[in-house]
Amino acid sequence: MRRMIAVLLENEAGALSRIVGLFAQRNYNIETLSVAPTEDVNLSRLTITLRGDDAKLEQIIKHLNRLIEVLKVADLTDGEHVERGIMLIKVRAEGASRAEVKRSVEIFKGRIIDVTPRMYTIELVGSADKFSAFMATLEKRSIVEVVRSGLAGISRGEKALIV
Amino acid sequence: MSKDSAELMAQKANQEVQNESPVKALVPERLSGGDMLLRALDDEGVEFLFGYPGGQALHIYDAIFRQQRIEHILVRHEQAATHMADGYARATGRTGVVIVTSGPGVTNTITGIATAYMDSIPMVIISGQVPNNQIGTDAFQETDMVGVSRPIVKHSFLIKSAAEIPVAVKKAFYIATTGRPGPVVIDIPKDMTDPNILFDYAYPKSVKLRAYNPSLKGHPRQIKKAVELLLQSKRPVLYAGGGVVQGNASDLLIQLAKRLNLPVTNTLMGLGSFPATDQQFLGMLGMHGTYEANMTMHHCDLVFAVGARFDDRVTNAVDKFCPDAQIVHIDIDPTSISKIIRADVPIVGLVDIVLKSIVQQVEKALSGALELPDYKEWWAQINSWRNAHGLDTDARLANLKNPKILPQQVILSLYRATQGKAFVSSDVGQHQMFAAQYYKFDEPRKWINSGGLGTMGFGLPAAMGVKIAFPNETVVCVTGEGSFMMNMQELSTCMQYGLAVKVICLNNQALGMVKQWQDMQYGGRHSASTYADSLPDLVKVAETFGHVGMRVEALAELDAAMDELFSEKNVNKLVILDVKVDPEEHVYPMAIKGGSMQDMILTRGESI
Ligand SMILES: Cc1ncc(C[n+]2csc(CCOP(=O)(O)OP(=O)(O)O)c2C)c(N)n1
Ligand SMILES: [Mg+2]
């Protein structure tokens, strides 16, 4: 099962390496990771997605909490949540497929941010599901380059991960 | 000068001194980074530093030289410094402190740090580092200590500004000693300890880390549930580990066990937390645990785990573990709970605080309507196991057959000669298991061994750390010739500081534990586990280092030699007693791989 964990940690040298190290050391796989400072410059927020069952997730959360610099950990997949990432794709767009690609971008509410006679560079914002759905519309051979950010996640409603 | 004017001047001088002191208190002392480090350690109550100098630590070593309050113990290898600090910490409950230089100095500490980490021992390791502006340049003796040690420390600090040193020291000790204790590294670039740059010194009274709140009382509802289960249980067992020793909760464990007449078993790390001579004690459990302890575990209806972590050397096959039992698990570290075995009642908290409220609630329940639970049938069952295959039933030990010496007999002889009162450290191997099985520890912190990591070479330096803390106590290191050779250079340190440790080597002329596994699982093919023709004479080794060496080769001489070892004339001497034991002996009982806890081999060629 895919899980999304949010972590608030002290923005200190070495703190991130402790988290990444923990995943390697305990044999947990990170699928995506995003990290940046929050409104409080002393705090960073991470969003990690990974696959695992309940028992595994429980252990990961406990281990994260055990790190001295970690303030809060939450399983966002435990409730309703929103996730967003950004994907940039460079595709070959020539002849008939050029219009086809453009239509798909519109349907997925993406943007074409750079154009050459043979290529489109596309920007897409959304969830992991949306990314894979969009990728499915493209002919595999036409994809030149894909870059995806890690996902950022937040709970819906009143629930908040704050200090 | 007249007598009067002299008196006047003296008076005036006195007044000046008096006037000066309040002013002095307001103006903070100006100290260099190196001096601040030493002052902070002193303010923290540190008595000993175990260490070894080198380039990037030289400013610190000069600061050590210029103060008198903390004694530095110069080892012969940095690994030994960590084990000494570790032994000191295990025996006293205080934090062991290590100081080393960068590069090879720090890499030599890794085994010792990992050893302390696995057994949750409070330790602070101070390491020199190349100057800040050289970090990352592959400078001479540069090693990323924070990176290299990261998976085996509770936390680490890299000092980026010298002014942080006092706070970092305070935090390091706070983190090392609270919650689940463990090692903490403070890596200090050389420019941070420059003797020419001074700072205002102040040692913080306390520190707060907003992301770290370790003191825990345990959830009241879970505690209530645990007590209910305990009082309903027909076949309970207390399974107590190193957390009870480290958490100073031995008295409460005894109180609980005594009040309800509960059977108690200890892990390798927990030995001494319940008196081994007590009838309620079943001995150690697990891979080389007693028959009665493992049978009791397998057949119980309630495992009441306190400060233990269901290690794989205890549980055997997890899916066959204690089939009829509910599990109460008390531990300070939430990651230990339900890691291996799912707990029905998990209680995260300090063992002493949790046990205290459990004892109180049991008391309350008993003073009400509830009758004392009756475990008559359970005890009858346990005693029948004990009488059938307990350690005391080994007929070979009763029927002395000179000259062959069984290693178990050496431990029994040691126990007799020290009246069970010695501090005993051990190395790792068969000798360790024999010591754990046959020396009956009645008090916590007396059994000093590397349980989690199983570090050969631990025994001698750990015993030295104990001896430094308790110079007037008997401190014994039970070792094997293989383990002993891993840190025997420390015999020189013992000479320098007059550490009269007694070393007893169960010399089977082989890496016995490895050989045993090869006998049992690899058709007796002794791959790289024997070296009988190339071993040093340990009596001469002792003498070369200026100590006393003794050898025993026949059973008839054993007791006399043991008495001589502990006789008045040797009180202030380090003595190595090299005992030639039967090299064919195996450690039993031994868990059958892949089985449940009741599946054990009891003697050669037999299984149950
Ligand atoms: C540093 C280290 N290396 C290897 C091992 C694996 N090992 C466990 S027991 C053992 C043999 C120990 O030999 P010795 O100290 O003579 O004790 P004995 O088993 O013979 O009593 C070995 C090699 C270990 N535990 N630690
Ligand atoms: Mg040996």
Side-chain angles (χ1 to χ4, degrees):
Chain A
M1 197 183 154
R2 182 172 161 278
R3 308 293 193 133
M4 180 172 269
I5 302 174
V7 182
L8 270 184
L9 83 159
E10 299 281 3
N11 197 358
E12 273 169 23
L16 183 60
S17 74
R18 268 186 247 276
I19 294 200
V20 176
L22 171 71
F23 277 77
Q25 191 186 336
R26 301 275 168 189
N27 218 356
Y28 308 139
N29 273 329
I30 295 180
E31 211 169 73
T32 75
L33 167 69
S34 76
V35 54
T38 63
E39 81 284 6
D40 176 349
V41 290
N42 297 317
L43 286 180
S44 281
R45 177 153 169 159
L46 279 84
T47 310
I48 301 167
T49 61
L50 51 99
R51 279 173 199 283
D53 57 20
D54 285 348
K56 189 165 174 177
L57 190 80
E58 187 184 318
Q59 272 298 314
I60 294 175
I61 290 177
K62 285 187 198 171
H63 274 293
L64 286 168
N65 267 316
R66 197 167 77 154
L67 294 174
I68 306 291
E69 288 129 338
V70 168
L71 268 125
K72 287 256 164 85
V73 185
D75 172 13
L76 296 178
T77 28
D78 197 24
E80 290 280 305
H81 70 285
V82 189
E83 62 178 61
R84 289 289 180 272
I86 185 162
M87 177 159 75
L88 303 175
I89 316 169
K90 192 167 283 185
V91 289
R92 229 167 256 120
E94 290 172 300
S97 74
R98 200 166 169 95
E100 186 73 24
V101 171
K102 188 155 182 279
R103 235 188 340 268
S104 296
V105 172
E106 276 160 15
I107 293 168
F108 280 83
K109 298 202 170 68
R111 293 199 307 149
I112 296 172
I113 53 174
D114 193 43
V115 181
T116 74
R118 292 167 54 206
M119 303 264 189
Y120 280 151
T121 302
I122 302 159
E123 172 202 276
L124 207 63
V125 175
S127 67
D129 287 346
K130 181 170 165 182
F131 294 159
S132 25
F134 177 72
M135 294 288 281
T137 70
L138 299 173
E139 204 173 315
K140 222 181 184 148
R141 287 207 329 263
S142 70
I143 301 172
V144 177
E145 193 179 352
V146 177
V147 50
R148 276 175 62 177
S149 70
L151 294 166
I154 197 163
S155 320
R156 282 189 189 277
E158 308 274 308
K159 222 163 144 191
L161 186 69
I162 44 173
V163 183
Chain B
M1 206 195 295
S2 76
K3 196 184 155 215
D4 280 359
S5 64
E7 235 167 50
L8 213 71
M9 276 184 73
Q11 255 176 25
K12 204 172 158 220
N14 267 340
Q15 262 167 18
E16 265 167 19
V17 170
Q18 275 168 17
N19 288 345
E20 200 182 277
S21 44
V23 179
K24 211 172 169 184
L26 290 178
V27 178
E29 248 178 302
R30 303 277 294 167
L31 297 177
S32 73
D35 290 325
M36 286 203 296
L37 175 65
L38 268 291
R39 273 294 295 276
L41 292 172
D42 184 25
D43 284 341
E44 191 59 43
V46 173
E47 296 174 293
F48 298 100
L49 294 176
F50 305 96
Y52 207 82
Q56 308 302 356
L58 285 183
H59 292 334
I60 300 175
Y61 270 85
D62 196 57
I64 292 173
F65 191 87
R66 287 183 281 94
Q67 57 85 51
Q68 276 84 42
R69 294 179 52 88
I70 302 177
E71 189 181 356
H72 180 272
I73 308 292
L74 175 66
V75 293
R76 301 297 180 266
H77 186 299
E78 289 89 348
Q79 182 190 349
T82 55
H83 294 329
M84 276 181 89
D86 185 322
Y88 172 89
R90 287 180 204 240
T92 61
R94 296 199 288 271
T95 307
V97 188
V98 175
I99 177 152
V100 292
T101 190
S102 68
V106 297
T107 54
N108 271 351
T109 65
I110 295 301
T111 302
I113 297 174
T115 303
Y117 182 71
M118 287 293 266
D119 290 344
S120 312
I121 305 303
M123 184 185 288
V124 169
I125 303 93
I126 297 158
S127 51
Q129 181 55 280
V130 300
N132 235 328
N133 61 1
Q134 286 183 28
I135 290 181
T137 65
D138 299 327
F140 178 63
Q141 298 196 326
E142 178 184 359
T143 298
D144 173 11
M145 176 54 166
V146 167
V148 165
S149 63
R150 199 196 56 233
I152 50 165
V153 294
K154 186 169 173 189
H155 198 58
S156 45
F157 297 91
L158 173 62
I159 302 295
K160 288 286 179 61
S161 124
E164 298 167 11
I165 288 175
V167 176
V169 169
K170 186 80 206 175
K171 282 185 183 169
F173 279 83
Y174 173 58
I175 292 169
T177 51
T178 50
R180 181 178 182 170
V184 178
V185 162
I186 311 177
D187 199 28
I188 310 183
K190 188 171 187 178
D191 50 330
M192 300 293 120
T193 51
D194 188 332
N196 298 314
I197 308 176
L198 305 183
F199 300 85
D200 289 351
Y201 174 79
Y203 196 61
K205 281 205 179 59
S206 63
V207 279
K208 250 194 94 141
L209 296 161
R210 62 174 168 172
Y212 176 69
N213 290 303
S215 55
L216 293 158
K217 288 200 191 87
H219 199 290
R221 202 175 58 227
Q222 299 291 34
I223 290 178
K224 196 162 159 258
K225 251 205 232 158
V227 171
E228 279 165 17
L229 278 185
L230 187 57
L231 294 173
Q232 284 160 16
S233 154
K234 297 273 171 282
R235 302 189 309 278
V237 58
L238 275 182
Y239 152 50
V244 179
V245 177
Q246 294 301 321
N248 300 313
S250 174
D251 288 347
L252 287 156
L253 180 79
I254 296 168
Q255 225 175 307
L256 178 64
K258 284 283 152 201
R259 189 67 179 99
L260 293 173
N261 191 29
L262 299 166
V264 183
T265 178
N266 275 157
T267 66
L268 179 66
M269 293 306 299
L271 291 174
S273 65
F274 190 81
T277 50
D278 193 290
Q279 266 302 307
Q280 280 167 247
F281 188 60
L282 310 180
M284 180 171 76
L285 83 171
M287 179 169 280
H288 292 299
T290 64
Y291 180 71
E292 58 268 38
N294 288 338
M295 292 300 277
T296 301
M297 285 292 286
H298 186 78
H299 294 279
C300 76
D301 66 2
L302 178 68
V303 173
F304 206 90
V306 192
R309 59 185 176 90
F310 297 86
D311 184 88
D312 53 81
R313 296 282 136 138
V314 164
T315 58
N316 210 355
V318 166
D319 54 335
K320 297 175 188 159
F321 179 76
C322 300
D324 304 328
Q326 293 206 280
I327 313 280
V328 172
H329 190 178
I330 305 167
D331 203 286
I332 183 63
D333 184 357
T335 66
S336 288
I337 293 179
S338 298
K339 178 177 63 175
I340 311 283
I341 302 290
R342 187 104 210 145
D344 298 292
V345 183
I347 304 176
V348 179
L350 289 166
V351 280
D352 56 343
I353 295 181
V354 174
L355 277 183
K356 196 168 191 170
S357 54
I358 286 176
V359 167
Q360 278 166 359
Q361 290 194 28
V362 164
E363 214 49 67
K364 218 165 97 192
L366 293 184
S367 69
L370 206 86
E371 271 180 48
L372 209 57
D374 176 15
Y375 304 127
K376 225 183 244 149
E377 268 176 50
W378 184 222
W379 269 115
Q381 172 71 76
I382 292 170
N383 284 327
S384 78
W385 286 323
R386 175 149 46 194
N387 295 334
H389 298 293
L391 291 176
D392 294 344
T393 64
D394 189 341
R396 298 168 317 145
L397 297 182
N399 305 322
L400 309 181
K401 267 199 227 93
N402 205 34
K404 211 195 249 179
I405 305 175
L406 293 178
Q408 298 90 325
Q409 291 166 326
V410 183
I411 306 297
L412 290 172
S413 180
L414 167 66
Y415 181 73
R416 179 195 53 78
T418 55
Q419 290 124 42
K421 296 207 163 66
F423 283 93
V424 179
S425 81
S426 88
D427 269 296
V428 174
Q430 292 181 319
H431 63 274
Q432 173 193 29
M433 290 301 125
F434 291 131
Q437 290 176 332
Y438 287 90
Y439 199 98
K440 293 188 179 356
F441 293 94
D442 277 342
E443 289 168 278
R445 298 195 181 279
K446 290 241 153 144
W447 165 238
I448 312 285
N449 97 121
S450 163
L453 200 68
T455 308
M456 290 171 68
F458 174 83
L460 174 63
M464 290 159 65
V466 177
K467 190 69 183 170
I468 280 176
F470 297 105
N472 300 321
E473 301 284 329
T474 303
V475 182
V476 181
C477 166
V478 173
T479 187
E481 76 301 320
S483 297
F484 186 67
M485 284 191 288
M486 281 208 177
N487 264 323
M488 68 177 181
Q489 77 285 345
E490 296 309 316
L491 290 172
S492 171
T493 309
C494 291
M495 181 46 68
Q496 186 171 359
Y497 298 97
L499 303 176
V501 168
K502 305 291 185 275
V503 178
I504 299 175
C505 181
L506 306 192
N507 198 332
N508 53 10
Q509 307 190 2
L511 301 175
M513 189 56 99
V514 171
K515 194 165 143 258
Q516 172 170 351
W517 281 56
Q518 290 168 339
D519 284 339
M520 297 173 79
Q521 291 173 27
Y522 297 89
R525 293 183 295 281
H526 295 162
S527 176
S529 57
T530 57
Y531 43 33
D533 50 4
S534 52
L535 289 170
D537 179 335
L538 290 183
V539 173
K540 285 192 185 143
V541 167
E543 287 164 2
T544 299
F545 280 93
H547 304 299
V548 178
M550 292 167 60
R551 174 165 300 116
V552 171
E553 298 191 348
L555 183 60
E557 305 157 15
L558 178 62
D559 279 343
M562 200 61 86
D563 289 335
E564 189 185 333
L565 181 66
F566 295 104
S567 67
E568 201 50 38
K569 73 166 192 198
N570 283 328
V571 165
N572 294 317
K573 299 212 171 88
L574 186 152
V575 187
I576 298 180
L577 177 63
D578 186 31
V579 187
K580 196 176 154 201
V581 296
D582 181 2
E584 299 306 318
E585 186 65 4
H586 285 177
V587 183
Y588 295 110
M590 180 161 175
I592 297 173
K593 211 172 150 223
S596 70
M597 283 192 80
Q598 71 171 345
D599 300 316
M600 290 167 267
I601 301 169
L602 296 177
T603 58
R604 238 175 231 264
E606 182 196 347
S607 70
I608 287 255

